Amino acid sequence: MTSTVRPAVPADLPLIAQLIRDLADYEKLSHEVRFDEATLGEHVFGPRPMAEVLIAEQDGQGQGFALFFHNFSTFEGKPGIYLEDLYVRPQARGTGLGKALLQRLAALAVERGCARLEWSVLDWNAPSIAFYRSLGARMMDEWRIMRVDGAALQQMGQ
């Protein structure tokens, strides 16, 4: 079995969209998925990309992805990489694809002079937490994610 991690190309958009839906199913958040595939493609592959995607393949078949973007640490004075989503299909778990995706992201962070690689994990996802810790990641227990969206975002933006 041959495993590879490569940057996504526009032809991967249907695969990326399906992997996002698969991830939402796994996280029991399918009701939250509202993206339009064309708009997603514009934000990933358009003239001003807002995110990048890596595709993990086994024998040429897409089995996982990592969607990420740059953030910035004022304390470090350097950019970072924020991993928005990491997903490997159940049949491909345990084969090293998740680790390969994270290793490639870490290599990109180093190549790009980033201070850190960060992501969030659901508190109930014990297998993922254990996996991330096995790679040297640490939980930032003192930090909580804040979000403004929907009508509250519209109101705040007025």
Side-chain angles (χ1 to χ4, degrees), residues 124-158:
W124 58 259
N125 195 343
S128 292
I129 292 169
F131 169 64
Y132 298 145
R133 284 190 168 144
S134 77
L135 297 175
R138 62 186 170 93
M139 189 76 66
M140 303 292 292
D141 291 325
E142 65 277 13
W143 291 91
R144 297 291 182 258
I145 298 170
M146 301 297 294
R147 179 179 291 172
V148 178
D149 60 4
L153 178 62
Q154 294 299 317
Q155 184 173 352
M156 184 185 284
Q158 291 180 354

Side-chain angles (χ1 to χ4, degrees), residues 3 7 9 13 17 25 38 40 48 55 62 66 68 72 82 105 117 129 132 139 141 158:
S3 296
V9 296
L13 187 58
D25 285 344
L40 175 66
R48 186 172 176 232
I55 300 292
F68 63 98
F72 194 85
Y82 186 82
L105 280 172
L117 169 60
I129 292 169
Y132 298 145
M139 189 76 66
D141 291 325
Q158 291 180 354

